[in-house]
Amino acid sequence: VKGTDARNCNPVNAGKVGEELGKIQKFYLTDGGHTESAEYYWNRYLEKYYVKLKLLFDDIDDVWENAKQRFYEVPQTLVHDDLLPINVLIGEDGPWIIDWEIAGIYPYFLDLARFAYVFCSINNHFFISDASADAFITAYYEEMKKNATFDVDKKQFLYDVTISALYQYIMFQDYDKPREELEDTVDYKYLKEIIEVLRKEEN
């Protein structure tokens, strides 16, 4: 496939990526629930982050439990699980999502923050702009809504996206460092903001 990866893609191309992901995921959409695959994903990847997250935030239990409950009730679908912009090629005839080797049937929202909201202080770089992230999220939701079984309203969808961002930014924390050394990092500040948004939405 001739083209370039989706880092720094413009809003038009980002919207096309969201539409393409929606086309794939609405085809594989299931009712969700506490399935074996969802439990596998939680136990292997997310549960271990809770202990580490407690080292950074003392009052995280309410947010974490609500996020876990939502994880087990949302629709599930084919999730790429490494949908970084470098795994999307923008070709002449549209985007191509590549490298599906760790894909599985998991809660639908897991891919969203990985593409839209990745910021890594290690390389100090936004992969896509805020405008492109908005275009991606909007196009994805509009495409998913074409499947009548995707009964997630817009407010709930944005909450789900924020949960996706919570899981995403936990990955960037360097837990071997004392909290006071992390509090000034961009990733820590984003994670704190995400937690505050989730807590506000829950209340």
Side-chain angles (χ1 to χ4, degrees), residues 132-145:
S132 293
D134 290 343
F136 166 79
I137 292 297
T138 298
Y140 171 85
Y141 182 72
E142 291 175 353
E143 188 63 34
M144 289 292 281
K145 289 298 287 183

Side-chain angles (χ1 to χ4, degrees), residues 7-41:
R7 286 176 293 182
N8 301 313
C9 62
N10 61 40
V12 172
N13 284 330
K16 291 178 180 179
V17 176
E19 181 181 358
E20 185 66 21
L21 181 64
K23 287 179 180 178
I24 295 169
Q25 292 194 333
K26 76 179 184 183
F27 181 81
Y28 290 97
L29 198 65
T30 71
D31 291 337
H34 200 130
T35 64
E36 183 177 341
S37 63
E39 185 169 358
Y40 165 82
Y41 192 96

Side-chain angles (χ1 to χ4, degrees), residues 18 28-29 33 77 117 174 180:
Y28 290 97
L29 198 65
T77 188
Y117 302 122
D174 185 353
E180 55 270 18

